[in-house]
Amino acid sequence: MSNNQSNQSLAFCFSGSSPISNKAVNHTVASAYFSAVFSALGLSSNLFALVVLVKAFHQTKSRSRSSFLLFLCGLVVTDFMGLLVTGTIVVSFHVTHFDWMLLDPNCHFCNFMGMSMVFYGLCPLLLGATMAVERFVGINWPFARSANISKSRACYMVFGVWVSAGFISLLPLLGLGSYHIQVPGSWCFLNISHMPLDMAFCLIFSLVGLLSLAVSFVLNTVSVVTLLRVCCGQDSSRRRRDYELEMMVQLILIMVIASICWCPLLVFIAQTVFSEGKLNVPRLLLGIRFATWNQILDPWVYILFRRSVLKRVYPRMDWSRGSIASLYPSFRKLTRSSLGGTSRLGETKLDGQISQETKQEDEDPFPEQNAPAHS
């Protein structure tokens, strides 16, 4: 009776994988150093980026920038925890060569890692789409946004992304799909097969990720076009470049990195479940390695593409501070002509918001004079 139960418990997380031989383990022993260095680099980068963001958050007075920094902090924390959880398991396997079937006969540990892979994989993509929406609203309807988006609401939105990704990662435990151990035996991931339930879960994971990237691309493109129109319009000589440009540069780079790192894996999963061929293990491993680079490259966007760094790289550019509200004389004319019936009270409130935002100066957490000369 116990043997039957053991076979049944092993079936759902080991049946889709070929047995992990000692030869495979020995072949990947060199990966212990690579995985350890890879994880250490990612963890230290995210930790340093978190320090940068926390200092910037405490010193900023702009409401729009505070909300954006909260989203970035959520992304950094997610990347850090993802590397910590998955990296610890992978490095432990390469160092100890533990037997999954003996260590985890009921597949609880495998399910945990599979859930972690899905959760920490979807969170950056969903957060990138959420930040794209936030910037789109902030640039195209800044005054409506300033009345509706607060720091607490930004925190709720980050928490909502975590809950959504967590719910998707729990679907295999609810009967939709399953998590299986993957070659070379150091990790668990969703079972990419042609079984209806596994196929449905694979498509959910792939399509949610691709849809997030598509939303980010469309909204960021519109936001960039809007900023270019404002900065290069008739009143461009009187307008001030500010942290809105900094935030858009960071967000565009986050989107580009996520697209390059995740599209190969997401497209590969969708193609595999729709085709009748066998799983291409080398392509799966290559896609996973590409996706993991996202967690390492993301923090360097916040570290390198700050105003203090950009001012040193491009000293001729005008990096004066201010709010995007100061860029809006033509937008206000357009608003008056399109809405016509705008009340004087509304215009007074609008001008008050403009002057208040323009007067607020954001102090960079790492000013130029404090930067080391050799950096």
Side-chain angles (χ1 to χ4, degrees), residues 143 147 344-354:
F143 306 108
R344 287 181 173 265
L345 178 62
E347 292 187 6
T348 303
K349 183 178 180 181
L350 192 68
D351 293 335
Q353 289 173 337
I354 294 174

Side-chain angles (χ1 to χ4, degrees), residues 307-322:
R307 269 201 311 268
S308 60
V309 177
L310 294 175
K311 284 190 293 185
R312 298 181 68 182
V313 176
Y314 301 103
R316 294 183 179 181
M317 286 194 67
D318 178 17
W319 293 101
S320 58
R321 293 179 175 86

Side-chain angles (χ1 to χ4, degrees), residues 226-240 326-331 333-334:
T226 302
L227 275 178
L228 290 177
R229 286 178 177 176
V230 172
C231 294
C232 302
Q234 296 178 353
D235 299 324
S236 59
S237 60
R238 294 185 311 219
R239 291 167 184 162
R240 304 168 66 187
S326 64
L327 307 178
Y328 273 156
S330 60
F331 276 17
K333 295 177 183 178
L334 178 62

